[in-house]
Amino acid sequence: MICNRQIYPHSYIMIKHITLLLIAVATLFGFPQKNVAQRYHLVRRYITNDTLCVKIDSARLFFPTNHEGFEVFYKKLDRQLRHASNRINILHIGGSHVQAGTLTNRLRTNLSNITDSLNSFYTKAADRGIIFPFATMKTNCPTDYTTSTTGQWSASRCISATPDAVLGLSGAAIITTDSNATLSVKIHDEAYAFEQIRVLGYSTSKGTHPLVIVGNDTIYPSLRDRQSGFLFHLPSPTTFCRIAFSNVGEYSPFVVRGLIPISKRNGITYNESGINGASVPSWLGCKAMKEELSLLPPDLVIFGIGINDAATSYDGFSPEQFKDNYRMLIERILTINPKAALLFITNNDCNQTMRIRRPNLNTPRVEEAFKELAAEYNGCVFNLYQTMGGQGSAANWVSQGLMQSDRVHFTNEGYNLIGDLIYNAIINDFTDYQRHKH
């Protein structure tokens, strides 16, 4: 090579310049580069309680088989980081841990703001995700949006053996026969302003439908059907609107199953479906879930259902039935996107029930069931049970102000900590996978 450089200096310089030009073009147009994963250095969330409560070695994604089930999701995440040129949908489904909204909003915020230390790679938010008016049901709800209603309403939830409505993705519904009833929604973060809104729901009367009011404008639906609800195009981006109902009456009720604010932005949309007390059979009873999920086909599904299924005696819990129920739910979701990545969060250490205040011996059995399901579907497990410290660790989390005294639910600080731990686990696995892939 030294000889060649001395004999053909102009050719060497020309080859060097061409090589540099090709690298620049590859960078400009986003062609794959061998070292792109090494350039991420994505920022993690700082964990302050690792020496007190968190078994940090357990706070990772565990893959019983391989990463095949996460390949499509990781490719989309890579494209979002480098170009912000696509949309990614995430679905987090569970019980009270999800309905509260603190854990999911922490994950929503973290995943929509992934960045490296130089801010040369980043993600951004697309839409807020599905919204449900829990306030009308007089129960707790996420704090990043506010809903209110006027008029008379009744409610139905998937934990009921005989719900009063056909339920869908939110697991709940509010129902009105009041011609003066209205529903208002306000999203607190301007980053989630929407240009369209879809009202999920139905009426048994063909002439009954919602209307959206923004300022002085009354907007009629541009699309309506029982599966996809009613779609409205708004005159300009907004974070607030009011919904009224046409031809509602005693014999023509309207059922609201949720709201989906929509924008044209690329980025990450984090949808949460959580109902206090919900088990896997509760969600299997939501007959319209699959149709509504097709509007938001998930690239990543985070399963956090299980603590209510296992809230019984040792003999009263069947791991095999638990897995069979999960298989039915998973198959329903995979018909919408067969390549969705599946992440199972194990039950946290907890009491057997709210009344029986001793450690739930079913928790490690749920842990094993999730490992088996992850192996079956090429998914992964975030082992919250072991990350907390295993059996009896809830007492330590209570003493540190991270868990409520019922030893089932967490405080806001505890939910935020778990959100940061799961986020770090996803980012660590993603960067490791990219490094080995390239």
Side-chain angles (χ1 to χ4, degrees):
M1 288 295 295
I2 294 175
C3 236
N4 288 340
R5 285 181 62 189
Q6 291 174 339
I7 295 173
Y8 305 109
H10 296 296
S11 298
Y12 170 76
I13 293 171
M14 183 178 294
I15 291 170
K16 180 179 178 181
H17 285 171
I18 290 172
T19 302
L20 291 173
L21 179 61
L22 288 173
I23 292 172
V25 170
T27 302
L28 179 63
F29 289 97
F31 297 152
Q33 298 177 49
K34 188 174 182 180
N35 67 341
V36 71
Q38 298 171 352
R39 289 164 40 205
Y40 275 139
H41 303 298
L42 300 178
V43 177
R44 276 64 162 176
R45 299 294 174 256
Y46 178 62
I47 305 300
T48 58
N49 289 284
D50 54 342
T51 58
L52 295 175
C53 291
V54 178
K55 303 301 179 186
I56 206 68
D57 290 343
S58 297
R60 62 186 181 89
L61 299 189
F62 169 70
F63 286 81
T65 53
N66 53 53
H67 277 76
E68 182 180 338
F70 268 64
E71 283 190 3
V72 174
F73 170 63
Y74 278 169
K75 285 179 181 177
K76 293 192 74 170
L77 183 57
D78 173 66
R79 193 157 64 250
Q80 172 62 205
L81 277 163
R82 288 191 291 151
H83 305 299
S85 60
N86 62 336
R87 293 173 68 94
I88 296 175
N89 287 323
I90 298 173
L91 171 66
H92 191 154
I93 182 170
S96 54
H97 292 331
V98 177
Q99 180 179 318
T102 306
L103 168 61
T104 49
N105 197 49
R106 187 67 157 212
L107 281 164
R108 176 184 294 110
T109 301
N110 284 347
L111 289 167
S112 298
N113 294 279
I114 303 173
T115 184
D116 71 347
S117 56
L118 299 177
N119 203 33
S120 54
F121 296 98
Y122 58 89
T123 58
K124 60 181 181 179
D127 300 329
R128 192 274 169 199
I130 189 171
I131 286 172
F132 186 81
F134 287 108
T136 304
M137 300 173 66
K138 301 188 185 327
T139 185
N140 63 317
C141 59
T143 59
D144 61 309
Y145 65 84
T146 300
T147 61
S148 61
T149 50
T150 63
Q152 298 297 313
W153 295 82
S154 60
S156 185
R157 291 182 291 178
C158 62
I159 58 173
S160 171
T162 55
D164 297 326
V166 179
L167 302 180
L169 184 57
S170 68
I174 58 171
I175 308 154
T176 187
T177 57
D178 188 340
S179 60
N180 295 315
T182 65
L183 165 62
S184 298
V185 59
K186 168 68 176 177
I187 298 178
H188 301 315
D189 191 339
E190 293 286 341
Y192 292 116
F194 49 94
E195 302 157 45
Q196 301 175 33
I197 190 165
R198 192 183 296 270
V199 179
L200 300 175
Y202 66 95
S203 176
T204 53
S205 171
K206 290 184 179 180
T208 302
H209 60 83
L211 305 167
V212 171
I213 302 167
V214 180
N216 295 322
D217 296 317
T218 298
I219 304 154
Y220 287 78
S222 61
L223 177 70
R224 62 178 83 178
D225 63 58
R226 192 179 179 90
Q227 283 71 43
S228 61
F230 301 79
L231 180 64
F232 298 84
H233 297 272
L234 310 184
S236 60
T238 185
T239 56
F240 173 81
C241 71
R242 190 160 58 94
I243 300 164
F245 301 90
S246 177
N247 297 318
V248 164
E250 182 180 357
Y251 301 105
S252 52
F254 193 86
V255 177
V256 176
R257 294 196 293 236
L259 308 168
I260 303 178
I262 304 167
S263 75
K264 297 177 183 178
R265 293 181 298 268
N266 289 322
I268 292 177
T269 297
Y270 198 106
N271 295 284
E272 62 206 353
S273 296
I275 295 294
N276 295 344
S279 61
V280 181
S282 304
W283 290 106
L284 289 174
C286 296
K287 302 302 183 183
M289 182 180 180
K290 187 171 71 172
E291 287 77 10
E292 292 182 350
L293 191 58
S294 66
L295 303 170
L296 300 159
D299 300 291
L300 169 65
V301 183
I302 301 176
F303 292 107
I305 325 168
I307 200 161
N308 295 305
D309 302 75
T312 184
S313 65
Y314 191 88
D315 292 337
F317 177 70
S318 168
E320 291 306 315
Q321 184 62 58
F322 178 72
K323 287 185 290 185
D324 283 345
N325 289 339
Y326 246 109
R327 289 184 184 103
M328 286 189 282
L329 182 61
I330 291 169
E331 294 298 336
R332 191 175 295 179
I333 293 172
L334 291 181
T335 58
I336 303 301
N337 181 9
K339 295 187 178 180
L342 307 181
L343 192 166
F344 301 88
I345 302 175
T346 69
N347 291 0
N348 52 277
D349 182 55
C350 61
N351 285 336
Q352 182 173 317
T353 66
M354 298 289 282
R355 291 187 297 273
I356 303 176
R357 300 179 67 82
R358 59 171 177 262
N360 192 331
L361 300 181
N362 292 322
T363 305
R365 303 168 80 194
V366 172
E367 173 190 14
E368 289 305 312
F370 278 153
K371 289 178 180 178
E372 292 172 21
L373 286 168
E376 187 174 338
Y377 289 96
N378 283 330
C380 70
V381 175
F382 180 86
N383 201 324
L384 179 57
Y385 179 57
Q386 297 300 337
T387 297
M388 288 180 66
Q391 185 174 319
S393 59
N396 193 22
W397 281 60
V398 171
S399 69
Q400 296 298 321
L402 298 171
M403 202 171 197
Q404 297 180 26
S405 58
D406 63 10
R407 299 191 184 185
V408 174
H409 302 96
F410 297 89
T411 62
N412 286 345
E413 184 180 355
Y415 281 122
N416 286 332
L417 171 60
I418 295 168
D420 288 344
L421 289 167
I422 296 173
Y423 167 79
N424 285 352
I426 292 172
I427 295 306
N428 287 337
D429 188 78
F430 170 69
T431 52
D432 287 346
Y433 174 78
Q434 292 290 84
R435 188 176 299 112
H436 293 133
K437 193 74 174 176
H438 292 85

